[in-house]
Amino acid sequence: MSNVKQVPHAPDRNIGEGPFERLIIRGVTMIDGSGTPPDGSVDIVVEGNKIKEIVQAGLPESALANAKVIDAAGMYVMPGFVDTHAHIGGVNQGVPAEYVHKLWLAHGVTTVRDPGSFNGADWTIHEKERSEKNEIVAPRIYAYTCPRNWDKPLTPDNVPEFVQWAIEKGFDGFKIINRWNPDTIVALLEEAKKYNLGTMAHISQTTAARMDALQAARAGLGSLEHWYGLPEAMFADRTVQHFPAHYNYSNEYHRFSQSGRLWKQAAPPHSDKWNAVMDELIELDFTMNPTFAIYEASRDAARAQTADYHEEYTYPSLWNYYQPDPTKHGSFFTDWTTQDEIEWKENYRLWMAFINEYKNRGGRICTGSDSGFIYKTYGFDFIREFELLQEAGFHPLEVIRAATLKGAELLSKENNVPMEFGVIQPGYLADLVLVKENPLHNFKTLYGNGALRLNRDTGVTERVGGVSFTIKDGIIYDAKALLEDVKEMVHHAK
C-alpha cells in the first residue's frame, strides 16, 4: 500500500462553470456521434446536466433571458469522447492524477474506463466517486479491477469471493491480463455476467496458447484490448506462434519484436478462416478496442520519440519512463532495428484490414489510448487514435462514432444500464466538445497544441485548433486553460 500513496489524488475542483439551470449553445454545427453528417446551425439547450432540446434554425432572442449562452457560431460540437482503455497514470510514471485528468478533458474526453486500476483499488474508487460528484476536474470513470488488487491468488473456486469483493468496493468490471488458467477465466466471465459487471482482456502470449480471442468471446468476454489472441484464433497451419528458440516473454524486446511478426502468421485477409472467425465474433456481439496508437513507436520509433507536444506537455518523470530501459514496461528500444519497424508496418497493414472490415460488417469498434507507455502521452495520443482509425479505412464520421456512441454503447451493454451519453440527443447527459475547426477536415486540429496552417492573408504559418470547451455533466471547462495548467505542472516538475 505504500506505493499506492505515492500517486497524488486530484485536488478539489476549483475551476469549471456550472452546471447551470439553463445553458444554451447557440448557432453551432452539430456532429451528433451517430454517424450522420454535420447539421446546423442548431441551438442546444441544457438544463442542469442534461440536454433538454435541440432547436433547428435557432431560438428566439426572448428564450435567451436568464440563461448562460455560449455563442458558438462557426463552431462544431460533438459528444464527449469515451476512452475505453485509459490508465490514470501510475507509480512507475510518477504523474499526479490532476495532470492526467486535465489532459484528457483538454482533449474532449469526458468518460474513461480504467483497465485494472493499477494505482490500487481504494485509490481508483476514491477518484471515481469524486468524479461522479464533480468534486474534481476529471472525466467520468469506469473502474475495472484485476487480481493484483486482491490479496489472494485467483482460482476457479474463489472467483465468487473475488467478484463479491469487487462489488463491495464499487468496481464496474474486470480486466484479464497475463498468465491465467482458462478455467479461471471462464469462471470469472460467468460470475461477472450474473452481476452485470464488464469484462475486458489483454490476452497475452502467456494465455493465448490455451485460450485465444474467439474462445474467450464464446465464454462471454466483453471486449478485446489491443489484438493479442486474435491472430492466434486465425491460425490455419499452426497452433502456436512461431517463437524463436531464444525467446523469453519477460524480455520485452523479444516480446514486442516477435509480436510484430504475428499477424502474417494468421490466415490471410478474406480467406475462409479469416471470414469464419470474424463472422462468429460479430454474431457474439463482441467488441474490439484496437488501441492502434500505443504500438505506433514499434513501426516508427523516431516519430513517437520526437512528437511536438513532448517538450511542453510530457511530465519529466513520464519522459524518463519512456526511455530505453529493460526494467520498464514498454521501454524496449535498446536495439530496435529497421527490420523490426518493417515487420510492424506489415503487422499494422493486416491488423487494420481486419478492424476496418469488422466495422464494415457491423462489429463494434471503440477507441482506447492506453497512454502512459511507449512515448504516448495522455490526451494527445487519444487523438492520435482517431488518425490511425482513419488510416485503417474509417470515414471521419465513423471515427467519431467509435469515439463516442460505440464506447458508450459498450459500457451500457457491459453493465446492463441504459445509455446516458455518447450521442447528442435530448435526455442524454450534457457531455459535449466544442471546437472551432472542422474535425472531419483534419483530426490534427483536435490536438491540444493544434495543427500548422498557412495564413494566406499574412503569409505566416500558425497553429490553429485545439478543443475550445469541454462540457462534462453540464460543467464548462476551458480546454485552453486546462492545457496551461498542465504546462505549468510540467514546467514546475522540470
Side-chain angles (χ1 to χ4, degrees):
M1 293 299 292
S2 60
N3 281 345
V4 172
K5 293 177 183 177
Q6 294 175 25
V7 182
H9 283 290
D12 291 343
R13 179 169 75 90
N14 60 2
I15 58 173
E17 293 185 89
F20 298 91
E21 187 173 329
R22 187 172 171 86
L23 165 67
I24 298 172
I25 302 167
R26 188 156 173 80
V28 73
T29 298
M30 179 175 67
I31 301 172
D32 72 3
S34 70
T36 58
D39 190 16
S41 66
V42 301
D43 289 353
I44 300 175
V45 180
V46 175
E47 294 184 356
N49 70 338
K50 296 281 185 74
I51 298 170
K52 176 67 173 178
E53 61 179 329
I54 301 166
V55 181
Q56 203 81 26
L59 293 161
E61 288 293 327
S62 59
L64 306 183
N66 301 317
K68 168 71 175 180
V69 178
I70 297 177
D71 181 1
M75 298 179 74
Y76 294 80
V77 65
M78 295 168 283
F81 300 143
V82 182
D83 187 338
T84 53
H85 196 115
H87 298 283
I88 312 175
V91 173
N92 292 329
Q93 289 91 338
V95 295
E98 180 185 10
Y99 167 81
V100 180
H101 293 327
K102 285 184 173 179
L103 277 173
W104 278 334
L105 283 172
H107 287 90
V109 177
T110 54
T111 300
V112 300
R113 178 173 63 160
D114 184 329
S117 300
F118 294 153
N119 289 333
D122 293 336
W123 189 98
T124 307
I125 293 301
H126 184 62
E127 291 291 286
K128 167 186 162 71
E129 291 173 347
R130 295 171 73 211
S131 176
E132 285 175 355
K133 300 172 185 175
N134 289 306
E135 293 175 351
I136 58 175
V137 178
R140 185 176 300 102
I141 299 168
Y142 282 72
Y144 280 39
T145 190
C146 61
R148 69 185 285 179
N149 288 324
W150 205 38
D151 58 1
K152 303 176 185 178
L154 192 62
T155 68
D157 291 338
N158 65 19
V159 159
E161 183 185 353
F162 175 56
V163 170
Q164 288 304 314
W165 169 85
I167 291 169
E168 290 170 9
K169 286 289 183 183
F171 283 106
D172 302 291
F174 304 94
K175 182 182 184 181
I176 297 163
I177 186 172
N178 292 334
R179 194 182 304 276
W180 278 54
N181 182 321
D183 291 341
T184 304
I185 294 175
V186 171
L188 179 62
L189 296 176
E190 290 176 350
E191 197 72 11
K193 189 172 183 181
K194 289 180 188 177
Y195 297 98
N196 296 317
L197 295 171
T199 52
M200 61 195 298
H202 171 158
I203 301 177
S204 67
Q205 283 84 357
T206 56
T207 300
R210 301 181 70 188
M211 175 175 273
D212 61 35
L214 181 57
Q215 292 166 325
R218 288 169 177 164
L221 178 66
S223 69
L224 181 70
E225 308 305 297
H226 320 309
W227 49 264
Y228 307 109
L230 182 54
E232 291 91 335
M234 295 187 290
F235 284 165
D237 60 355
R238 69 197 70 202
T239 60
V240 174
Q241 179 182 340
H242 178 73
F243 295 110
H246 68 275
Y247 183 94
N248 182 342
Y249 180 74
S250 293
N251 180 316
E252 293 222 330
Y253 172 75
H254 291 177
R255 172 182 167 185
F256 283 96
S257 65
Q258 293 305 312
S259 293
R261 292 158 167 84
L262 181 52
W263 269 93
K264 67 182 182 182
Q265 298 174 44
H270 310 294
S271 63
D272 290 345
K273 182 77 170 181
W274 195 86
N275 284 326
V277 170
M278 181 177 295
D279 289 343
E280 185 172 356
L281 289 172
I282 291 170
E283 180 65 26
L284 290 166
D285 195 25
F286 191 60
T287 300
M288 298 285 182
N289 192 20
T291 68
F292 286 133
I294 193 60
Y295 298 106
E296 188 177 23
S298 300
R299 70 174 190 172
D300 190 349
R303 183 193 191 284
Q305 291 165 339
T306 59
D308 62 5
Y309 56 75
H310 283 314
E311 178 62 29
E312 291 186 310
Y313 297 104
T314 297
Y315 210 75
S317 59
L318 182 58
W319 178 254
N320 290 337
Y321 187 82
Y322 293 155
Q323 302 313 302
D325 185 335
T327 68
K328 298 174 183 174
H329 173 52
S331 303
F332 50 85
F333 298 97
T334 51
D335 187 21
W336 199 246
T337 68
T338 301
Q339 188 61 40
D340 288 329
E341 292 194 354
I342 291 169
E343 296 288 354
W344 266 97
K345 285 180 172 71
E346 177 65 4
N347 217 46
Y348 264 81
R349 185 186 71 81
L350 295 168
W351 178 20
M352 285 177 162
F354 189 95
I355 293 298
N356 189 50
E357 184 67 15
Y358 196 78
K359 173 262 299 176
N360 289 343
R361 295 193 193 181
R364 185 182 300 107
I365 305 294
C366 297
T367 49
S369 62
D370 197 16
S371 292
F373 307 94
I374 322 181
Y375 297 100
K376 295 297 180 174
T377 296
Y378 311 95
F380 286 92
D381 282 286
F382 180 73
I383 301 305
R384 180 60 183 157
E385 189 73 4
F386 287 30
E387 293 190 283
L388 291 169
L389 284 167
Q390 186 174 0
E391 179 185 330
F394 284 49
H395 186 281
L397 285 168
E398 294 175 323
V399 174
I400 291 172
R401 181 169 61 190
T404 56
L405 184 145
K406 292 300 180 181
E409 189 177 88
L410 168 66
L411 296 172
S412 168
K413 170 180 175 285
E414 287 289 276
N415 292 126
N416 194 27
V417 294
M419 274 182 57
E420 290 188 296
F421 52 86
V423 68
I424 301 175
Q425 68 181 49
Y428 273 44
L429 291 175
D431 287 3
L432 303 165
V433 185
L434 279 162
V435 298
K436 291 182 178 178
E437 299 291 327
N438 182 354
L440 304 182
H441 171 67
N442 185 6
F443 282 136
K444 293 184 188 301
T445 60
L446 293 177
Y447 286 112
N449 60 346
L452 288 173
R453 180 181 298 165
L454 177 66
N455 184 323
R456 299 191 182 279
D457 294 330
T458 65
V460 175
T461 300
E462 56 192 22
R463 285 196 174 269
V464 300
V467 173
S468 295
F469 300 105
T470 298
I471 301 174
K472 178 229 174 182
D473 267 337
I475 298 172
I476 305 168
Y477 293 101
D478 181 330
K480 308 289 189 186
L482 293 175
L483 286 170
E484 286 301 314
D485 287 350
V486 169
K487 283 170 67 174
E488 179 56 33
M489 279 186 260
V490 170
H491 177 74
H492 179 74
K494 286 182 176 181

